[in-house]
Amino acid sequence: MKIACMQIAPASSGVAHGLEQLDGYAAQAKAAGCDLLVTPEMYLSGYNIGAARVLELAQPADGPNAAQVADIARRHGLAILYGYPQTDPQGGAPFNAVQLVDAAGARIAHYRKTHLYGDVDRAQFQAGHARAPVVSWNGWRIALAICYDIEFPELTRAYALDGAELVLTPTANMIPYDSVATRLVPARAEENGLFMVYANYCGSEGDFDYCGLSCVCAPDGRDIARAGRGPGLILADLDRAEIAQARASVRYLHDRRPEIYAETGTTRDDI
């Protein structure tokens, strides 16, 4: 499978501009032979835009914006994972969500961010309450995460135990937190023997300066593709055979002993 990650500045001109950019990048990705295009976090609206604007732009998973993304996927014949603000059917704060549509425009996976980061996230969103189901697509077992989620090793480990081979992670990571992209994302890949995709913004939005460094990491933790600070499209070929090779070499999943750390937060009395 071949994957493309968009690394761009937030779509400050609005949703229509974001959809137009998505159409252009989808054309580029398809021309490069890609099967899947991944956008940054909250791509359709921008991330650091304030609670009132997030609420204004929020839509259901099957809303008009979703229909336009599905149309882009169909016209270009590739799957798209995109970030957007999702309305709460119960009338609460929106969710920070991502949705995966296939090359026919069908919705095949959806996820709401479960770990909210800092004042901006907490002011704009409510947290999701469950990890994404692992879905089968194009012969791959795929899970979804968003930005801060991936900084918690428990989530990626849970996905690996659920059978995931690939974790797709739209993000809005800012300077000075380069180490997430350069250290933690490769570690998540290596410690679980799976592929990690991390699609970030670049440029500025409000008082945030995004750090770029979007990447695709192999199951042994090495970079397959890595962006710098500026905008562009990174491309990566993924080979499922590398998963078995990595897990045979580094046996973390096999050698783990959950019986000694299943219960946490207890105090030892034998020291």
Side-chain angles (χ1 to χ4, degrees):
M1 176 165 58
K2 191 169 186 177
I3 286 183
C5 285
M6 291 171 59
Q7 180 167 291
I8 61 168
S12 57
S13 299
V15 174
H17 177 62
L19 289 166
E20 183 180 352
Q21 284 193 120
L22 182 62
D23 192 31
Y25 276 102
Q28 291 182 46
K30 183 62 177 180
C34 293
D35 305 290
L36 171 64
L37 173 64
V38 182
T39 79
E41 179 179 6
M42 288 283 286
Y43 171 74
L44 289 186
S45 60
Y47 172 67
N48 184 23
I49 60 174
R53 185 65 171 153
V54 167
L55 184 60
E56 178 186 349
L57 295 177
Q59 291 192 2
D62 59 354
N65 290 340
Q68 292 191 66
V69 174
D71 180 64
I72 292 170
R74 279 192 299 271
R75 284 191 290 104
H76 295 290
L78 84 167
I80 298 174
L81 177 70
Y82 67 99
Y84 78 106
Q86 183 194 17
T87 52
D88 177 11
Q90 307 303 317
F95 296 98
N96 183 333
V98 292
Q99 184 153 251
L100 177 63
V101 298
D102 67 15
R107 294 185 290 131
I108 55 175
H110 190 275
Y111 171 71
R112 297 164 170 173
K113 189 176 186 178
T114 51
H115 300 82
L116 299 184
Y117 175 78
D119 294 339
V120 170
D121 253 5
R122 295 187 179 95
Q124 297 184 153
F125 311 108
Q126 62 172 303
H129 304 296
R131 66 181 181 266
V134 174
V135 298
S136 295
W137 173 76
N138 241 21
W140 288 76
R141 298 277 290 163
I142 298 174
L144 308 177
I146 301 174
C147 197
Y148 193 42
D149 289 329
I150 217 65
E151 299 177 43
F152 294 83
E154 298 89 346
L155 182 64
T156 311
R157 175 55 52 83
Y159 281 146
L161 295 174
D162 288 342
E165 301 166 315
L166 169 63
V167 180
L168 305 176
T169 311
T171 190
N173 190 30
M174 66 288 293
I175 295 170
Y177 304 114
D178 291 11
S179 63
V180 177
T182 60
R183 189 159 59 231
L184 296 187
V185 173
R188 295 295 91 87
E190 184 171 2
E191 68 197 6
N192 293 291
L194 46 69
F195 288 93
M196 293 291 305
V197 175
Y198 189 76
N200 195 20
Y201 288 118
C202 59
S204 299
E205 185 182 42
D207 57 355
F208 287 170
D209 294 316
Y210 295 111
C211 65
L213 303 176
S214 298
C215 59
V216 179
C217 295
D220 61 3
R222 79 185 189 282
D223 284 354
I224 304 175
R226 170 76 64 177
R229 298 291 192 190
L233 196 67
I234 63 167
L235 310 174
D237 286 299
L238 278 55
D239 181 354
R240 292 182 73 250
E242 292 190 36
I243 297 170
Q245 293 167 5
R247 291 181 179 180
S249 175
V250 180
R251 294 168 55 86
Y252 293 129
L253 295 179
H254 181 272
D255 293 340
R256 54 190 294 275
R257 295 187 58 197
E259 73 277 6
I260 66 170
Y261 38 74
E263 294 184 12
T264 60
T266 58
T267 301
R268 286 185 58 183
D269 60 4
D270 60 344
I271 299 176

